[in-house]
Amino acid sequence: MEASRRNFLKATLVLGGGLCLEFSFPLAAKTAAQAAPTEVSAWILIHPDDRVVVRIARSEMGQGTFTALAQLVAEELDCDWDRVSAEFASPNESLRRNRPWGPMLTGGSLGVRSSQDYVRRAGGAARAMLVAAAAARWQVDAAACSVERGVIRHAASKRSLRYGEVAAEAARLAPPSEVKLHEPKDWKIAGKSQHRFDIPDKVLGKPVFGVDAALPGMVHASIAQCPVFGGRLERVDSSAVDQLRGVKKVVRAGDFVAVIADSWWRADQALQKLKIEWDFGEYATASDASIMAMLREGLADDKLPQAKKSGDGASALASAARTLQAEYFSPYINHATMEPQTCTAWFKNDGTLELWTSTQDGEASLATAAKTAGLPPEKVEVHKMMLGGGFGRRGGSQDFVVQGVTIARALPGVPVKLMWSRAEDMQHGFYRPASLVRMTAGLDAEGRLIAMHSVIACPSILKVLMPEAMKTPIDFTAVRTLSDMPYNVPHQQVDYAQRNGHVPVGFWRAPGQQNAYYRECFIDEVAHATGKDPLALRLELLAPGDKNRAVLEAAAWAAAWSKPAAAGRHRGIAVSDGFGSYTAMVIEVSVSAKGEVKVHRAILAIDSGHVVNPDTCRAQAEGNIAFMLGATFHQENTVKDGRIVESNFHQFHLLGLGEMPQVEVLLVPSGGFWGGHGEPGALCVAPALCNAIFAATGRRIRSLPLKHHELRPA
Amino acid sequence: MLKLNINGRPHQVDVEADTPLLWVLRDQLQLLGTKYGCGVGECGACTVHVDGEATRSCITPVSAVLGKKVRTIEGLAGKKALHPVQRAWIAHEVPQCGYCQPGMIMAAAALLEKNPKPSAAQIDAAMDNLCRCGTHQRVREAMAALASGEPSGGGRHGS
């Protein structure tokens, strides 16, 4: 593809060309020789030499939104894609200008799908203003002008003007009241694989991440938080460290203590030498066993609120010819972003506060910093840095900002960079909730699935992070995929036992995904019990025209499901919609006589309606599969004496390179809607894998991770 | 004062001899491309070259590299062109968040300097850096392209 090839050449020439990301470090002097760009609208800056800068409100954590949103703006702007770059919109400016860029929260696979309409309109509006400015200069009708790659032409008079020549005049015009958007079938810039803007800097090791903040006179902080959630700092004896070289200050606050020093290493070494006494609080004896007992008590509660009831609900089970029942469990899992939590804060002498942080929500970071500092929000600025992984950890919870600001307040006038150690990060997360689910299926005399009753015991993420969003006793993130099954089962009931415990829970990539594991493995159990093919049963239960059918059929076709697997290979299948998209997966495994599982292939079919950057969508699919294979095989966070046991990657294994299967991604956008890509690819991995292992071994995997299971063929 | 040779340039730093090289690079020398991920040599985000060997700088005391040549991600590219591994990483759009990638790239470059044509199994065995985003498939693709000697490491956008 021609445009992509040019972009690739552009990308390889970045060396020596300077950063394409414009982070505002005071020390990073911008080239003065460049004339200032014109702000045509809040979204679009145009330089006199036609370079276009698109402002992006959402965060970039590797999911590609930074580039995809620019593609959508450029598509409607009709500019030259080779001359487009992007920068983050400022949270402070957003506040002062009444949020011209909309929300900055980046989660729920919403980055593109929930802003696509207004960013495209912003591009189209700017195009109309630029054309109107040229038409006014020529004194011709704007409708008689055409645009191609940032050049406006008036054919009758054979005149042309570049965007950079009329940007200043365009900026003075009012935006049009109506904008006609390009039809996706006519897209030239969107819908194509474009190289991501952020990759060259990342490959060169440029300082783009939160932990890379570097300011004049900056000092460093390492933190120790109370090992038991809910505990408090009692007292600290810092006499052993006060005189150590480089140590500036010991900061005591609430549930943590931090050491500030002239390097992070000296800060952390001093931190280890502190004599800290904690009040562990009321959860000091909590354990895996007490958490399991809490969940089990939830399942036994006979007065639970219902998240769904259709037909006769659970009472229909009484009339079933046969019932099946199974209990499934998932553990707590940490996000374990490769970049630990971090926040650089600087109380400046002019009474303002500046932050540099890796955040999924720049506005929430600003509000949290202002509240913590007791400053009006207008006096706070947040510089949004590239995130070294997010996965939901850095959005709703702004704990790192509270700490960064609290610590920096101890040294006014001095920038302080807080970075957590890996152990702090592993043991003070907002974990994927542990959950225990009991499902009961009712079959009629012909073996048809007529009733399904699910009881879900699971901590509530919303209760922890967004209590205002809990309008009923039901947390939708805890029940979805079971409460909104696409399967035609006449009698359904879902009961929810909110059992919160003391371990903080949070939005972990594809929140609620555990239910896809439970549902799709249990449907596999029903298929096995009734002698049906797992694909055929699913298709039987899905209405004609349901988009889940099309992705199932696509994945099954790519896997040649109708033919036997190769000798020694076994397959599992699963389907789930979520985060606006429809996904299905086939995983192919072999299992050795010793019980070693090798995953050979993972085929994901995904229908997201529209696709803005196909290659980035494939990357998200590959990433979701690696992320979830790691979780399904290896990962859990366990609790002993009220605290998380695992402290580092030796106890929390990520998927190794050699464990990665060949991934095949089928993008099958059917148009007419906008679905996400950051999370949906996660949904089917655990069930497709466990169903494949059942096909290979006859063993049902009803709890994770797999490392606890004997997997020798039964 | 300890004398270091980093990316072909002499540096003097005033730190304790047991300070890990990682923190000398990041906090003393502002070479921020090398990353902290675990602090115990598990993840490889801090990988640099010491006399050509891929080395985990978070568990390497600075005293162990005196008189040796240290190369970081900032010193990998030549004056006029990126290193072939960097070119391949761009062509294959390998990074997602990108945080682990400087270490990944340094490990890849060290492997290829020793063994220009590693097999798939050798690549899997040698590249034990951890990546949370799941760039595994593209790391393999980029490495396979480099091992096969494709100019600029091939690419994903050819069609």
Side-chain angles (χ1 to χ4, degrees), chain A residues 118 135 212 219 224 255 263 394 439 480 625:
Chain A
Y118 55 77
D212 297 338
V219 292
D255 62 352
S263 78
R394 308 185 204 254
M439 291 169 290
R480 66 179 171 203
I625 289 166

Side-chain angles (χ1 to χ4, degrees), chain A residues 461-504:
Chain A
I461 299 171
L462 295 182
K463 190 86 179 173
V464 171
L465 294 177
M466 306 170 69
E468 70 285 355
M470 281 284 280
K471 295 195 167 55
T472 71
I474 308 296
D475 180 337
F476 75 94
T477 70
V479 300
R480 66 179 171 203
T481 313
L482 284 165
S483 64
D484 53 3
M485 288 205 301
Y487 296 132
N488 284 320
V489 179
H491 308 284
Q492 294 183 41
Q493 185 171 321
V494 177
D495 304 333
Y496 174 46
Q498 185 190 134
R499 293 296 184 274
N500 293 327
H502 80 303
V503 176

Side-chain angles (χ1 to χ4, degrees), chain A residues 62 195-196 202 209 211-212 245 264-266 334-335 338 422 615 619 622-623 648 655 657 660 663, chain B residues 14 16 20 23 26-27 33 35-38 86 93 95-97 99 132-133 136-138 140 156-157:
Chain A
H195 283 278
R196 271 173 40 210
K202 289 176 175 178
F209 299 99
V211 292
D212 297 338
R245 189 177 176 199
W264 189 83
W265 176 251
R266 283 182 181 147
N334 190 20
H335 298 81
M338 288 307 295
R422 176 55 57 192
D615 189 61
E622 294 159 12
N648 212 316
L655 194 78
L657 198 60
M660 185 71 179
V663 172
Chain B
D14 180 15
E16 294 78 5
W23 297 108
R26 285 188 61 82
D27 289 351
K35 296 294 188 264
Y36 167 87
C38 68
Q86 291 172 313
E93 299 267 315
Q96 288 190 25
C97 89
Y99 190 83
R132 186 64 168 146
C133 297
H136 303 49
Q137 176 136 320
R138 293 182 186 218
R140 278 183 176 163
R156 297 184 61 84
H157 294 237

Side-chain angles (χ1 to χ4, degrees), chain A residues 55-348:
Chain A
R55 292 222 177 96
I56 305 295
R58 311 286 182 167
S59 299
E60 178 61 53
M61 44 195 150
Q63 85 282 27
T65 310
F66 191 66
T67 308
L69 289 174
Q71 282 178 260
L72 288 173
V73 172
E75 172 63 43
E76 302 298 334
L77 185 60
D78 280 330
C79 60
D80 180 355
W81 176 250
D82 288 354
R83 312 220 65 199
V84 176
S85 63
E87 68 179 26
F88 289 119
S90 141
N92 179 278
E93 215 177 312
S94 172
L95 188 73
R96 287 187 286 107
R97 294 172 67 171
N98 199 20
R99 302 183 88 206
W101 301 285
M104 294 188 168
L105 172 66
T106 312
S109 303
L110 285 162
V112 167
R113 64 187 171 116
S114 75
S115 38
Q116 51 82 18
D117 184 68
Y118 55 77
V119 304
R120 287 192 294 153
R121 285 182 195 288
R127 178 194 191 277
M129 291 154 70
L130 290 155
V131 170
R137 205 192 276 189
W138 294 328
Q139 297 188 309
V140 301
D141 184 357
C145 300
S146 64
V147 179
E148 195 184 349
R149 292 167 63 98
V151 179
I152 308 159
R153 287 198 169 81
H154 183 246
S157 62
K158 293 188 178 161
R159 284 178 291 187
S160 68
L161 282 167
R162 294 177 293 102
Y163 273 2
E165 295 176 291
V166 293
E169 288 148 72
R172 290 193 283 272
L173 301 175
S177 52
E178 277 188 42
V179 174
K180 189 177 179 329
L181 299 176
H182 294 172
E183 289 294 326
K185 67 177 171 52
D186 300 325
W187 280 350
K188 294 188 180 77
I189 296 169
K192 315 281 191 240
S193 292
Q194 311 285 6
H195 283 278
R196 271 173 40 210
F197 291 147
D198 50 325
I199 284 185
D201 281 353
K202 289 176 175 178
V203 165
L204 286 163
K206 297 278 187 185
V208 298
F209 299 99
V211 292
D212 297 338
L215 297 154
M218 186 177 77
V219 292
H220 303 259
S222 185
I223 189 169
Q225 301 163 79
C226 183
V228 180
F229 304 110
R232 311 284 298 170
L233 182 64
E234 193 97 308
R235 68 183 63 81
V236 181
D237 175 359
S238 62
S239 54
V241 314
D242 287 336
Q243 304 306 317
L244 285 180
R245 189 177 176 199
V247 170
K248 308 282 182 194
K249 196 134 193 167
V250 177
V251 181
R252 301 154 171 89
D255 62 352
F256 72 81
V257 55
V259 176
I260 305 175
D262 62 355
S263 78
W264 189 83
W265 176 251
R266 283 182 181 147
D268 193 59
Q269 289 293 102
L271 187 74
Q272 310 304 326
K273 293 187 177 76
L274 291 177
K275 293 197 183 82
I276 309 171
E277 287 175 49
W278 304 102
D279 168 7
F280 292 126
E282 57 184 306
Y283 303 110
T285 60
S287 65
D288 286 344
S290 69
I291 289 160
M292 184 57 97
M294 169 188 79
L295 297 173
R296 193 159 289 294
E297 180 278 323
L299 290 193
D301 187 339
D302 58 5
K303 293 190 183 57
L304 293 174
Q306 292 174 359
K308 181 189 177 84
K309 187 176 177 188
S310 64
D312 299 331
S315 60
L317 289 167
S319 60
R322 183 180 170 198
T323 59
L324 287 178
Q325 190 170 83
E327 252 180 39
Y328 280 75
F329 171 78
S330 297
Y332 292 110
I333 306 185
N334 190 20
H335 298 81
T337 56
M338 288 307 295
E339 178 191 38
Q341 306 314 305
T342 182
C343 177
T344 299
W346 184 6
F347 282 85
K348 300 173 86 171

